[in-house]
């Protein structure tokens, strides 16, 4: 399995949910259902490329975007945000990696800002685990995947509560969220 398999499953889950706006937890649940139909070895093999995507998105500039969008982002909170990002599909994921500020034009992000909602996708992180449990009644084997996070960009090592710096680095997200907070 590779990351292409993850994206195909995400897209299949999103298509089958057939809604204009699909919540990350719904995508995760459908992915579990679809993956649980496969052989246990395939389910185990799915875990690594999923975590490879999480590692690929482990970036300081994206963490800053998550911080603005969710009004803060702890280590776990950033994991859950990246789960949400994966649930949005390959195009949104790669756009956000190329330019985290591009999320300001995503309709789900705009609506979340207006509604004061956080964007989390914790359930995406457990897709392989839950599918394996559903298919076999057993936990995912130990060492089914490894997490190899890259070093964070030191140029983004600043206080994410510094609104002026966030406005400079993520102007569209800052305008969207800081204006929402002021309204």
């Amino acid at each position: 399995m590779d990351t292409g398999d993850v994206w195909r499953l995400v897209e299949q889950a999103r298509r089958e949910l057939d809604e204009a706006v699909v919540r990350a937890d719904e995508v995760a649940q459908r992915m579990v259902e679809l993956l649980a139909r496969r052989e246990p070895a395939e389910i185990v093999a799915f875990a690594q490329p999923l975590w490879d995507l999480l590692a690929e998105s482990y970036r300081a500039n994206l963490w800053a975007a998550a911080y603005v969008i969710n009004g803060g982002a702890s280590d776990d909170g950033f994991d859950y945000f990246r789960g949400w990002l994966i649930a949005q599909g390959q195009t949104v994921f790669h756009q956000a990696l190329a330019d985290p500020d591009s999320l300001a034009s995503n309709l789900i992000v705009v609506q979340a800002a207006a509604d004061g909602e956080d964007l989390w996708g914790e359930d995406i992180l457990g897709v392989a685990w839950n599918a394996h449990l559903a298919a076999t009644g057993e936990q995912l084997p130990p060492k089914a995947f490894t997490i190899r996070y890259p070093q964070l960009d030191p140029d983004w090592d600043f206080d994410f509560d510094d609104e002026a710096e966030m406005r400079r680095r993520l102007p569209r997200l800052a305008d969207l969220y800081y204006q929402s907070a002021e309204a």
Side-chain angles (χ1 to χ4, degrees), residues 3-174:
T3 57
D5 295 304
V6 175
W7 291 127
R8 282 186 285 282
L9 191 64
V10 168
E11 295 306 328
Q12 182 181 357
R14 292 180 61 80
R15 266 192 324 273
E16 290 185 10
L17 289 167
D18 193 33
E19 298 171 23
V21 176
V22 181
R23 294 184 2 209
D25 61 336
E26 294 170 335
V27 174
Q29 181 57 41
R30 188 67 190 133
M31 288 174 68
V32 167
E33 292 165 0
L34 293 166
L35 191 58
R37 296 177 187 164
R38 298 185 183 182
E39 292 297 319
E42 284 186 77
I43 299 169
V44 172
F46 184 85
Q48 187 61 58
L50 177 61
W51 281 92
D52 289 346
L53 289 173
L54 288 158
E56 180 182 354
S57 61
Y58 187 80
R59 299 177 180 197
N61 59 352
L62 190 59
W63 202 329
Y67 196 91
V68 171
I69 290 169
N70 288 332
S74 65
D75 290 348
D76 288 347
F78 184 44
D79 285 345
Y80 305 157
F81 175 80
R82 288 178 294 132
W84 171 84
L85 189 60
I86 289 169
Q88 303 316 300
Q90 186 174 14
T91 300
V92 172
F93 180 86
H94 286 297
Q95 286 172 342
L97 293 189
D99 176 17
D101 206 31
S102 70
L103 289 167
S105 61
N106 180 290
L107 295 178
I108 295 170
V109 175
V110 171
Q111 189 62 50
D115 295 343
E117 293 180 6
D118 291 337
L119 298 174
W120 304 113
E122 179 181 2
D123 294 346
I124 293 292
L125 282 63
V127 165
W129 179 276
N130 291 328
H132 195 270
L133 189 60
T136 68
E138 298 175 2
Q139 296 180 359
L140 198 63
K143 300 183 183 178
F145 62 92
T146 58
I147 303 170
R148 296 178 283 270
Y149 286 139
Q151 291 293 317
L152 292 172
D153 182 350
D155 289 341
W156 283 79
D157 186 15
F158 66 92
D159 182 358
F160 288 170
D161 284 321
D162 183 341
E163 183 177 326
E165 190 64 18
M166 287 297 218
R167 284 186 178 279
R168 185 177 78 74
R169 292 175 183 245
L170 300 168
R172 294 179 291 161
L173 279 172

